[in-house]
Amino acid sequence: MKNGSPPDEKQTSAVERALRLGLDNLAGMQTENGSWRGDYGGPQFLLPMYVILHRIAGRDIPVGRRNRMLDYLANTQNPDGSLGLHVQGDGSMFTTVLGYTASRLLGRPRQEDSMARMRGWIQANGTALGAAPWGKFCLALLNLYPWDGLNPVLPELWLTPASSPVHPSRLWCHARQVYLPMAYLYGLKASIPADDLCLELRRDLYDRPYNEIPFHRHRDTVAPTDNYKPATPLLKAANTAMLAFEKAHPRALRKKALRELLRHIDYEDKATSFANLGPVNAVLNRVCHCFREDGKEALEQGWDMLDRYLWDGHDGMKMNGYLSTELWDTVFAVQAILACDKAGLQGLGNHWDTMEKAHDFVRANQITEDLPDAEAFYRHPSRGGWPFCSLEHGWPITDCTAEGLKVSMALEKSVDNPVPKERMIDAVRLILSFQNDDGGWSSYEKRRGGLWLEQLNPSLVFGDIMVDISYPECTSACIQGLAEARMRFPDLFDDRIQTAVERGVRFLRTSQRTDGSWEGSWGVCFTYGTWFGVSGLLAGGVPSDDPAILNAVSFLLSRQKQDGGWGEHHLSCSQRRYVEHPQSQAVMTSWALMTLARADCGDTVAMDRAAKFLIEAQSADGGWPREAIAGVFNRTCLINYDNYRHYFPVWALAEWLARTGVQKRT
Ligand code: LAN
């Protein structure tokens, strides 16, 4: 590694200017409740599901919204007529079929050019018969696909003993909460009556008359575009067994199972103030209410909350991937601003008001109570945790809790009304309770099921949805939170914090790849993972000359582009190997620069070039322009964290400046 000289005065003042502009821009983006929140679009199946729910419920969507939704569907259409699984993806049968259906339900005329092109793509790629199972499921609700063309989602699984290895409580909570209403709707074979539009759609989505299609032979038909995780022999065997059961199931048992499912659905609605865990179960739970006799009240109560998922963005109106990004965006914006403070940036004084308000938001959105009867509904304790969005949602997340705790401790001395000490201690206790046996942390719960369960993944389009395993990102955040908590509360928890940190560090070491990188699961991809991997090790007390850190640093340096930036393609996530993006990306460059700065990278020239890239990429308003999406889930689906481009560059430049400042003084 080369040893460069510290940045000259010119660059220091350029970075200070950039930071001041960036800070003003960030402060200007804060919302009235003290939080930041942003566009959280990307997945293309969500808005159609929202529209389909409205058709089933017979609820009108106001015309202004309808038009903005149609704008979105047109603006995100690929040149070949298709829609991708996400807005940057090649055509997917799943989302193209749903997008076509939603466009017709929203009133776009059949003969319009965009519709003709979508139909053309559907017909040329094997028709709706090849849509991934979730797509066929939605079509079945609309009477556009018969239930016997689907593999069963058995309600009775919920009646098996909780100790059984396939009990739904073992699943990742998102899979569990999606397959819960699906099991109810499958059990009922719930469909709305066919109307004229339905008959027309049946003609458009298939290449033969609907009545002549042997749907039951297409249970396993899937278009190549939708077949990321092809059915395993185990899944095929399970489907065969479930079909046999479905043909012979005792009626009384089905009734009992459906009752049990409704109990869980109602509990989830109530526990989340009708926000629901995510957008998919938010839609599907409501579809369940449409088909039950006593569902009217739940439906009426929940509409306002559902509409908070909508986002009117630059490309039209979409359904966001979560209720909001508020807590997540806020804790990062705060840390970016704090990093400027640590870098000794003059003029931060103007922003203490911003920080006070942001802290109030963080404090007000910590979960302070456990849910009643949590265990009976397979919920881990919640008290002390932070969610990704806001309090009423109420599902604590490991890393959100750790980031919330970090911010509370960092601001404790500077704000008028800090998070009470007892609540910080609750957060520490919760984080400790989340740690897995392998030393790592999962996303929402302790890991509950065997890895083999992934072989039963019935979605085919998504990877890694069945079990909440340990992730380097969540592990790193929890180590960081705990390491600081250990200093804040040296007399508490005996040596439990220390032990947890050490075990976490061990997990990070074993999950590092031989090339020095970590594979990320919630951001693209090795760049994101490596930021967390290195930050977690350092927070856990690993020195910066440890071989693991040096290895990570050389990984990053080897990926730096000519222009000083980093750019990783989202295909890294699905292909699970580093795929370079043709352009450097500000967000990824920020992750890389921050990692190098924290790791005391000796190659100051590389860092100078990265900083220069970020400074030059900044817009006149102090933000950074829209770029490739940097968020992802389940290997295949991108999700846009729109505010990343506004706080990560500020944060990285500030940490870099702080480090070079120190160098200058010494
Ligand atoms: C999220 C959003 C938050 C995110 C972080 C906290 C950033 C991460 O560090 C851990 C994982 C988590 C909680 C996460 C997991 C997957 C989610 C819930 C999402 C990306 C938001 C939407 C996505 C959800 C699964 C979308 C619905 C699709 C299914 C396959 C069920």
Side-chain angles (χ1 to χ4, degrees), residues 40 43 45-46 134 172 174-175 178 277-280 321-322 328 388 397 399-400 443-444 462 465 473-474 522 528 632-634 639 641 644:
Y40 202 38
F45 47 95
L46 300 177
W134 290 20
W172 184 40
H174 277 278
V178 166
L277 176 57
V280 178
Y322 219 80
W328 192 246
F388 179 75
I397 300 179
D399 54 3
C400 299
S443 62
Y444 288 82
F462 302 115
I465 66 164
E473 296 102 308
C474 300
W522 312 112
Y528 187 66
V632 71
F633 58 87
N634 303 125
I639 186 156
Y641 292 74
Y644 276 9

Side-chain angles (χ1 to χ4, degrees), residues 327-510:
L327 192 280
W328 192 246
D329 274 339
T330 305
V331 289
F332 282 155
V334 166
Q335 291 179 76
I337 300 174
L338 278 174
C340 295
D341 187 40
K342 284 204 197 105
L345 197 73
Q346 302 295 310
L348 194 65
N350 311 338
H351 295 297
W352 278 109
D353 192 33
T354 308
M355 294 295 255
E356 190 84 46
K357 274 172 63 187
H359 176 273
D360 284 346
F361 176 84
V362 172
R363 193 191 57 236
N365 284 279
Q366 186 182 13
I367 303 163
T368 56
E369 310 260 1
D370 282 324
L371 288 166
D373 230 3
E375 225 174 305
F377 294 89
Y378 316 121
R379 291 285 308 258
H380 191 96
S382 325
R383 199 179 83 197
W386 271 274
F388 179 75
C389 44
S390 51
L391 179 61
E392 64 265 83
H393 176 279
W395 278 83
I397 300 179
T398 58
D399 54 3
C400 299
T401 302
E403 300 294 348
L405 175 65
K406 276 165 64 186
V407 162
S408 310
M409 292 187 293
L411 291 179
E412 188 180 8
K413 297 231 164 65
S414 355
V415 294
D416 291 340
N417 200 357
V419 173
K421 194 176 135 197
E422 299 69 42
R423 297 237 202 125
M424 295 184 189
I425 295 171
D426 283 344
V428 176
R429 195 175 296 119
L430 189 70
I431 294 173
L432 290 172
S433 77
F434 276 135
Q435 190 170 29
N436 285 324
D437 294 343
D438 64 10
W441 275 265
S442 312
S443 62
Y444 288 82
E445 288 157 345
K446 272 188 86 162
R447 177 170 150 190
R448 298 176 177 188
L451 283 183
W452 66 274
L453 278 173
E454 188 55 28
Q455 289 186 47
L456 290 174
N457 176 351
S459 75
L460 314 186
V461 269
F462 302 115
D464 300 347
I465 66 164
M466 299 296 274
V467 193
D468 203 355
I469 54 169
S470 295
Y471 299 102
E473 296 102 308
C474 300
T475 303
S476 166
C478 290
I479 292 175
Q480 294 176 48
L482 288 179
E484 284 177 32
R486 190 181 44 195
M487 296 194 274
R488 172 67 184 80
F489 304 109
D491 305 327
L492 294 182
F493 296 104
D494 307 323
D495 53 0
R496 281 176 61 206
I497 297 187
Q498 179 61 24
T499 312
V501 167
E502 281 165 14
R503 289 175 54 218
V505 164
R506 245 174 283 140
F507 172 81
L508 285 182
R509 284 191 187 278
T510 50

